[in-house]
Amino acid sequence: MKKYKSTIPSKILLLLLATLLLSACDDEFLNVTPNHFLTEGNFYQTEDDFDQAVLGVYGSLQDYVLSAHFLEEGRSDNTTYDNLLDQGSLGGSRQYGFLDQFLLTSDAGPISEAWNTIYSAIKDCNVTMFYLNNSPEIDSAFAIQAEAELRFFRAFYHFVAVRYWGDVPLLIEPIGSAEEAFAIERNPISEVYAAIVQDAEFAMANLPASYSGNDVGRVTQGAARMLLAKVYLTRGDYANAQTQLNTLVNSNQYRLLNNYADVFDPANKNHAESIFEVQFKEGPEGEASNFIYQFAPVGSRGVVILGPENSPGRNIPTLDMVDAYEVDDLRKDISIAFFDRDPSPLYYVNKYDHDSDPDFSRAPDNWPIYRYADVLLMLAEVINEQGYQTGTPFDMLNMVRSRAGLPELTPSQLPDQESFREAVAQERRVELAFENHRWFDLVRTGKAVEVMTAFGIEEMANPTLVPPDFIAYGPQSFQITQDKLLYPIPINELDLNPNMTQNPGY
């Protein structure tokens, strides 16, 4: 795929213009773009200009996935944080330990950073589409595909936002002035989802099925269809989800790889199982990923990681996650490894451990967003949710299990809807471990409070890692209510905009 960084000089210039023209405005609030920016149309002149702008949105996706694990895995029973991290990380402004114990507050760093990343990307989509729709000299076929890519991303980010915060600002037009920015309110969940579906349907209808050459890695019709299926699944619209998933299966465009490790091998990117993955490239261009440099345990430099930086011990697998794998599950050793540290030996995420450069803390790993194993498990789930049956749901589930070296499950073992539902949830947990699905799965299935309460009791009795004194477990740790299934609106957004309201419980 074309390199994301090719967009940066133009983006930096535009952002500098914005800063100079509205220096008195705090850009924390939705990364407000001043009106002068919208009338400075010098950049958006040619197809190449627009293509660079679209690629800039792909670059924002890199930023998103590099930190999404905080709110999508670290909140769940899959991962925790290294107890040898300092107070500034586990407590302080980062609040990783408080996030883990369901004690975080609205000024936690990961919350405001996620908000800014998401709405900055949505802003980039809207601004580029504004100019695209007002550039009649641009070839119509090019314009439609560019709009389809941008609307995919706008839907994708709104989908993340509505699951993080519930009612959120729905932004489908550029913000033209500070007055417009400070008039923004939270839209009801139903309105946000309706807009997501519209954008995803447009993207699905106008994106190509595949790409070749340098464009491999861009979003496809299949990626848009998968997004739409996930939206329907999250909303409990199982029939429509099944329609989209059946189309993906019947397309014969995707298949499970024979070897689970090959799914994550950087030498095998954009493979037959991949529906959409975020592109990274090791090297000096600034396009490398750093997942293993985030996930490696404290003190593992020279053992787990090669590069010169210290390892920060984020996204550490819990003992509950380690024990979730069945005996002989081939996925376990590919996904998790052990670091025999003194003190506090611990497990770490192994899926993305492919760094090879001892001089720089960078790695070549892509990040999987959608892959075919997820399609099969989702299809098994949506069929079962419409009524227990043998046949196809078992076939879908067992295809994934067989690849993992596990025996097939039978109707005598799973004789009803609830037992099959639990089997799918278990399979999703181990198949998609550390790919940012677990928290969303728990919330959408209504299991988050039950599962995380039980996990908290277990974790406090037998900790994965004993927390340091400044975040020691106490009576309020893991006190999980329905309110805690949404994150707080960042405090700086409330300070800047009187129309913004806080979620209950914060």
Side-chain angles (χ1 to χ4, degrees):
M1 182 178 176
K2 297 175 184 177
K3 300 296 181 287
Y4 297 147
K5 290 297 181 182
S6 64
T7 68
I8 283 185
S10 299
K11 289 184 72 180
I12 290 176
L13 174 61
L14 292 169
L15 290 171
L16 287 173
L17 285 171
T19 302
L20 291 171
L21 291 166
L22 198 62
S23 58
C25 182
D26 190 327
D27 74 348
E28 287 279 35
F29 179 68
L30 297 181
N31 291 289
V32 175
T33 305
N35 192 52
H36 300 78
F37 175 83
L38 295 180
T39 57
E40 289 281 345
N42 295 330
F43 173 69
Y44 296 96
Q45 300 293 318
T46 67
E47 288 184 9
D48 186 61
D49 292 341
F50 281 105
D51 195 48
Q52 288 190 55
V54 172
L55 290 175
V57 178
Y58 282 88
S60 298
L61 191 65
Q62 291 177 326
D63 297 333
Y64 161 72
V65 297
L66 285 168
S67 59
H69 59 86
F70 291 117
L71 304 187
E72 297 172 21
E73 286 283 307
R75 187 67 153 180
S76 77
D77 51 349
N78 278 9
T79 63
T80 184
Y81 298 90
D82 198 330
N83 63 345
L84 296 189
L85 286 171
D86 60 34
Q87 185 164 355
S89 295
L90 289 175
S93 63
R94 305 306 305 161
Q95 297 193 30
Y96 300 155
F98 296 140
L99 188 158
D100 191 54
Q101 297 180 34
F102 286 77
L103 295 171
L104 86 165
T105 59
S106 60
D107 59 347
I111 301 298
S112 59
E113 289 163 10
W115 182 281
N116 289 337
T117 296
I118 287 167
Y119 278 103
S120 175
I122 291 172
K123 176 262 295 180
D124 289 344
C125 292
N126 288 335
V127 169
T128 303
M129 278 191 282
F130 172 86
Y131 283 112
L132 189 65
N133 293 329
N134 287 278
S135 300
E137 67 277 10
I138 298 296
D139 176 74
S140 60
F142 171 89
I144 290 172
Q145 180 175 322
E147 182 179 354
E149 289 180 86
L150 293 166
R151 290 184 69 171
F152 168 88
F153 284 115
R154 188 169 68 182
F156 177 88
Y157 282 113
H158 276 117
F159 186 37
V160 175
V162 76
R163 289 178 293 170
Y164 279 179
W165 294 291
D167 295 348
V168 288
L170 172 62
L171 301 185
I172 56 175
E173 299 289 345
I175 301 169
S177 67
E179 290 77 15
E180 289 181 22
F182 296 120
I184 288 173
E185 298 179 343
R186 300 172 68 182
N187 293 72
I189 289 173
S190 59
E191 292 181 10
V192 179
Y193 271 111
I196 291 170
V197 169
Q198 285 186 341
D199 276 350
E201 287 180 337
F202 182 91
M204 190 172 66
N206 292 286
L207 286 171
S210 62
Y211 296 90
S212 61
N214 287 335
D215 287 326
V216 171
R218 298 181 87 130
V219 288
T220 61
Q221 181 183 102
R225 193 177 299 278
M226 186 64 163
L227 171 59
L228 190 58
K230 281 193 171 288
V231 170
Y232 286 138
L233 175 61
T234 301
R235 299 294 282 164
D237 187 346
Y238 302 120
N240 274 323
Q242 183 178 349
T243 297
Q244 302 305 328
L245 294 166
N246 278 333
T247 302
L248 285 167
V249 170
N250 294 333
S251 72
N252 296 316
Q253 186 175 352
Y254 309 102
R255 63 172 178 83
L256 291 183
L257 300 188
N258 293 329
N259 185 352
Y260 187 72
D262 290 344
V263 175
F264 312 100
D265 185 348
N268 194 37
K269 295 179 178 182
N270 305 301
H271 45 71
E273 188 170 333
S274 175
I275 298 174
F276 183 49
E277 57 190 71
V278 184
Q279 308 294 304
F280 291 94
K281 177 181 179 293
E282 190 172 36
E285 302 94 340
E287 295 293 334
S289 60
N290 70 349
F291 301 114
I292 190 58
Y293 286 97
Q294 295 194 60
F295 302 162
V298 172
S300 64
R301 178 185 171 193
V303 179
V304 176
I305 55 174
L306 301 177
E309 294 183 12
N310 292 322
S311 44
R314 303 167 183 170
N315 224 28
I316 297 297
T318 64
L319 293 179
D320 188 78
M321 179 72 243
V322 174
D323 291 341
Y325 290 89
E326 296 173 53
V327 176
D328 298 327
D329 191 329
L330 299 176
R331 296 169 295 197
K332 184 175 182 178
D333 289 342
I334 296 165
S335 302
I336 297 173
F338 185 72
F339 180 51
D340 192 9
R341 183 179 65 186
D342 183 19
S344 301
L346 73 171
Y347 292 89
Y348 63 92
V349 174
N350 191 46
K351 276 186 176 179
Y352 313 102
D353 187 5
H354 300 105
D355 65 323
S356 59
D357 191 338
D359 297 320
F360 296 95
S361 300
R362 59 195 185 199
D365 298 81
N366 282 4
W367 185 271
I369 298 289
Y370 304 136
R371 57 186 179 91
Y372 191 58
D374 194 5
V375 172
L376 298 176
L377 294 174
M378 287 170 63
L379 185 54
E381 179 178 347
V382 299
I383 294 173
N384 183 65
E385 290 303 321
Q386 296 172 84
Y388 174 79
Q389 60 179 275
T390 59
T392 299
F394 279 84
D395 293 341
M396 301 296 102
L397 176 62
N398 286 325
M399 285 175 65
V400 177
R401 288 180 58 82
S402 295
R403 200 247 310 257
L406 298 176
E408 294 188 353
L409 296 173
T410 66
S412 62
Q413 295 170 296
L414 307 175
D416 53 34
Q417 185 183 49
E418 180 57 29
S419 60
F420 190 88
R421 180 183 291 137
E422 291 175 358
V424 171
Q426 159 65 16
E427 206 61 39
R428 288 187 63 79
R429 186 182 187 191
V430 292
E431 171 67 27
L432 304 171
F434 320 120
E435 296 177 43
N436 295 342
H437 295 273
R438 179 62 172 173
W439 176 246
F440 290 147
D441 282 351
L442 289 174
V443 174
R444 68 172 177 76
T445 57
K447 292 289 188 180
V449 173
E450 173 190 339
V451 168
M452 293 307 299
T453 297
F455 169 76
I457 294 170
E458 173 189 328
E459 189 69 9
M460 288 189 288
N462 181 33
T464 298
L465 295 163
V466 177
D469 290 342
F470 61 85
I471 57 161
Y473 293 141
Q476 298 305 312
S477 300
F478 298 102
Q479 294 298 305
I480 303 156
T481 64
Q482 286 295 124
D483 289 344
K484 298 298 183 181
L485 303 187
L486 295 176
Y487 290 111
I489 302 297
I491 187 63
N492 51 325
E493 303 300 326
L494 300 177
D495 291 342
L496 286 165
N497 183 1
N499 292 315
M500 294 294 288
T501 57
Q502 185 56 278
N503 281 325
Y506 294 102

